[in-house]
Amino acid sequence: MKVMNSHPLDHLAKVQLATRRQFLSSAGQFSLGAIAMQAMGGKASGAATAVQGNPLAARRPPQPARAKNVIYLHMSGGPPNLDIFDYKPELVKHSGQPCPDSFLKGRQFAFTTGVPNLMGSPRTFKQYGKAGMWMSDAVPHFQEVADEITLVRAMHTDQFNHAPAELLLFTGHIRQGRPSMGSWVTYGLGTENQDLPGFVTLISSGTLPSGGQSCWGSGFMPSVYQGVQCRSKGDPVLFAGDPAGMSRELRRTTLDALRVLNERQLEKLGHSETLTRIAQYELAYRMQTSVPGVMDISRESKAVMDAYGAKPGESSFANNCLLARRLVEQGVRFIHLFDWGWDFHGVNPKEDIRDGLTDKMAATDRPVAALIRDLKERGLLDDTLVIWGGEFGRTPFREGRTAGSKILGRDHYPDCFTIMMAGGGVKSGFEYGATDEMGFAGVADKVHVHDLQATVLHLLGLDHERLTYRFQGRDYRLTDVHGHVVKEIIA
């Protein structure tokens, strides 16, 4: 008698159903998962239902929200806070003197050894806005929006190298494999526009952040929650277009056939990634018509493009800031902008905190100020949280390798840096936290990166302690076991 070979998927399904874990998870209302959910008062049932249907379906936040969207502007490399926001006249007074041992004892720096010399900022500082915020001449356009922003001056982190510091800031952990902040937000809230991704990433200055794509990855969550990288030049999304020779109708027919096959696999195996695959195919199909229109900044008026310094067809930070506003208008939940080139060691003229910083800020502070004003004029700033900053700060002394150079630079420094926030429920024209007179340590209202993460989620109506995802037998969260909401900066 001839025996017909069964399909490999049928065999795999039988093997999986034979395991104890698969049996327990498929035992209906008597399964361990169902019993646990009932014991928790059905806390996870809403999320589970959303995942079983449309994983990107818009969901109401579990608590009152101040913001609906986030635009996170990350300056990859660590901007020199002492030359932008943190005015230290006492450091200027002692500039050139050896750094006191009390500041160096037991400390490790990325590139500096021995006893470096203190370095006060060569920039000119003045006070701006009703609150009298100190800002340097490096940021003339930030000065114009001083009454719209909050400066958090005593930020600190645990890491002094770029990649782990960026991963800690955006995923809550120093190693790869955890979901990013945007993924957590999209997982918790979904997206309002089903024709666009809920989480979009834009890159400028031609280089990915040191933390790599993990900065917008979904880690152990289904990949439907990861950030979609879009481009302001060329095809907005790579590989989203129809293959050569395939019509729109044929593409639709192909996707319908794939959906049937994927649904059969989902029914047999129950893998969350199968549901993700279905959602991503459908989203990619809709994006083919929705994304090009949103990404076409030539539809903006000349006055708007001039305000940002944007130019159609270019790949620039200015274009990305304008795109961020357009994406917010279309209901995209989380937009993450990464700009490379903020590692001001002073090893070349571009990294000099004088002309190098002036040139770098000339391409960035204008579009950021324009973005804040534009959002406000369109009635979007109240619902949109804008964040600007890096992964850490810079030392109050010269970088060790450039001690004898004419170029001025600073080493990595995790203990003190400044971030700027606007809209989305934070106070306007407000300063929070302080560092010591030499810029070595926070002395009041210090904010850890986990506190920032908790505050961002809180402003979106999410509780950082309750927004969890179970993986390998334990519940994970963005803030790990740390973090508290900085309520003092909330309006």
Side-chain angles (χ1 to χ4, degrees):
M1 182 176 66
K2 187 176 180 180
V3 178
M4 299 294 293
N5 291 327
S6 61
H7 194 281
L9 289 179
D10 293 333
H11 175 68
L12 180 59
K14 292 177 181 178
V15 171
Q16 288 200 338
L17 287 172
T19 66
R20 286 177 296 172
R21 179 174 295 180
Q22 195 71 17
F23 168 77
L24 291 171
S25 67
S26 61
Q29 62 178 321
F30 301 108
S31 70
L32 293 181
I35 295 171
M37 284 173 59
Q38 291 174 14
M40 295 189 307
K43 181 177 65 174
S45 61
T49 301
V51 170
Q52 288 301 318
N54 175 11
L56 291 177
R59 293 181 284 283
R60 295 183 63 180
Q63 60 191 28
R66 303 298 300 273
K68 294 180 180 179
N69 316 91
V70 176
I71 299 175
Y72 202 120
L73 311 163
H74 181 65
M75 308 298 105
S76 187
N81 53 298
L82 292 168
D83 304 295
I84 300 174
F85 293 124
D86 213 358
Y87 180 44
K88 298 300 175 188
E90 194 67 18
L91 182 61
V92 174
K93 180 180 177 181
H94 293 89
S95 189
Q97 298 179 10
C99 185
D101 290 340
S102 59
F103 292 130
L104 301 176
K105 188 176 181 180
R107 300 296 305 275
Q108 184 179 8
F109 302 98
F111 296 98
T112 302
T113 57
V115 180
N117 291 331
L118 296 170
M119 183 171 65
S121 180
R123 314 294 315 200
T124 299
F125 279 79
K126 293 182 180 179
Q127 291 177 286
Y128 297 91
K130 296 177 182 178
M133 293 181 178
W134 287 102
M135 296 187 195
S136 80
D137 55 352
V139 288
H141 296 285
F142 284 178
Q143 298 163 8
E144 299 169 0
V145 294
D147 288 331
E148 303 296 337
I149 65 175
T150 280
L151 290 181
V152 183
R153 293 191 177 279
M155 287 292 304
H156 63 106
T157 180
D158 304 335
Q159 301 297 315
F160 65 83
N161 281 323
H162 298 295
E166 288 183 333
L167 291 173
L168 181 63
L169 176 61
F170 296 123
T171 74
H173 201 269
I174 63 173
R175 289 185 289 274
Q176 296 176 334
R178 300 288 183 93
S180 61
M181 188 186 302
S183 295
W184 279 106
V185 171
T186 311
Y187 163 68
L189 297 175
T191 182
E192 294 182 346
N193 190 334
Q194 296 300 306
D195 294 335
L196 292 170
F199 177 17
V200 170
T201 297
L202 299 165
I203 307 293
S204 54
S205 297
T207 304
L208 296 179
S210 297
Q213 296 182 356
S214 292
C215 292
W216 60 89
S218 58
F220 46 69
M221 284 184 184
S223 55
V224 72
Y225 298 116
Q226 72 184 4
V228 174
Q229 185 178 345
C230 293
R231 306 187 305 164
S232 54
K233 183 178 182 179
D235 292 336
V237 181
L238 294 176
F239 313 118
D242 293 327
M246 176 174 282
S247 66
R248 187 74 172 163
E249 293 74 17
L250 180 57
R251 179 67 168 173
R252 180 67 266 172
T253 301
T254 302
L255 289 178
D256 289 341
L258 284 172
R259 184 183 184 92
V260 171
L261 294 174
N262 283 323
E263 286 175 344
R264 289 179 180 176
Q265 185 178 26
L266 178 64
E267 183 180 353
K268 288 182 178 180
L269 305 183
H271 287 169
S272 61
E273 278 300 317
T274 306
L275 184 64
T276 290
R277 189 183 307 129
I278 295 171
Q280 287 178 323
Y281 280 151
E282 292 299 323
L283 177 59
Y285 180 78
R286 297 192 300 271
M287 283 169 55
Q288 289 177 3
T289 56
S290 60
V291 168
V294 177
M295 302 294 286
D296 183 6
I297 65 171
S298 66
R299 301 183 181 191
E300 297 287 338
S301 69
K302 184 178 183 301
V304 168
M305 286 194 287
D306 288 346
Y308 282 85
K311 296 180 181 179
E314 290 190 357
S315 177
S316 69
F317 182 74
N319 282 19
N320 288 349
C321 283
L322 180 50
L323 285 171
R325 189 267 290 163
R326 292 175 63 85
L327 290 166
V328 163
E329 284 184 310
Q330 297 300 317
V332 175
R333 184 75 68 185
F334 200 103
I335 303 106
H336 210 156
L337 273 62
F338 290 90
D339 187 65
W340 176 261
W342 295 88
D343 199 13
F344 280 84
H345 284 285
V347 296
N348 62 63
K350 289 185 178 181
E351 295 179 3
D352 191 295
I353 58 176
R354 294 165 299 188
D355 292 344
L357 180 58
T358 297
D359 293 342
K360 188 61 177 172
M361 291 302 315
T364 50
D365 84 319
R366 176 183 174 186
V368 174
L371 173 63
I372 292 172
R373 287 194 296 262
D374 198 10
L375 289 169
K376 184 176 182 179
E377 291 171 0
R378 296 170 185 268
L380 297 170
L381 187 59
D382 287 345
D383 292 333
T384 304
L385 177 64
V386 180
I387 307 171
W388 182 97
E391 64 268 31
F392 45 55
R394 317 298 298 194
T395 54
F397 50 77
R398 290 200 66 168
E399 210 266 63
R401 295 173 299 176
T402 63
S405 171
K406 293 182 180 180
I407 302 173
L408 301 182
R410 304 182 186 276
D411 207 345
H412 307 171
Y413 198 61
D415 287 7
C416 301
F417 65 106
T418 304
I419 64 165
M420 183 174 72
M421 307 175 75
V426 300
K427 294 178 180 177
S428 56
F430 184 68
E431 298 175 275
Y432 184 75
T435 57
D436 64 34
E437 60 185 9
M438 302 290 277
F440 275 93
V443 294
D445 302 321
K446 296 194 293 185
V447 178
H448 190 269
V449 293
H450 285 311
D451 302 330
L452 175 65
Q453 295 159 356
T455 305
V456 171
L457 294 182
H458 176 80
L459 290 167
L460 290 164
L462 297 167
D463 184 339
H464 75 104
E465 294 183 343
R466 296 176 65 86
L467 181 64
T468 61
Y469 190 89
R470 179 158 286 265
F471 176 66
Q472 293 184 340
R474 63 159 284 196
D475 289 336
Y476 287 83
R477 69 188 211 209
L478 172 61
T479 52
D480 197 30
V481 295
H482 311 284
H484 72 276
V485 175
V486 186
K487 296 181 179 179
E488 293 82 357
I489 69 172
I490 299 174

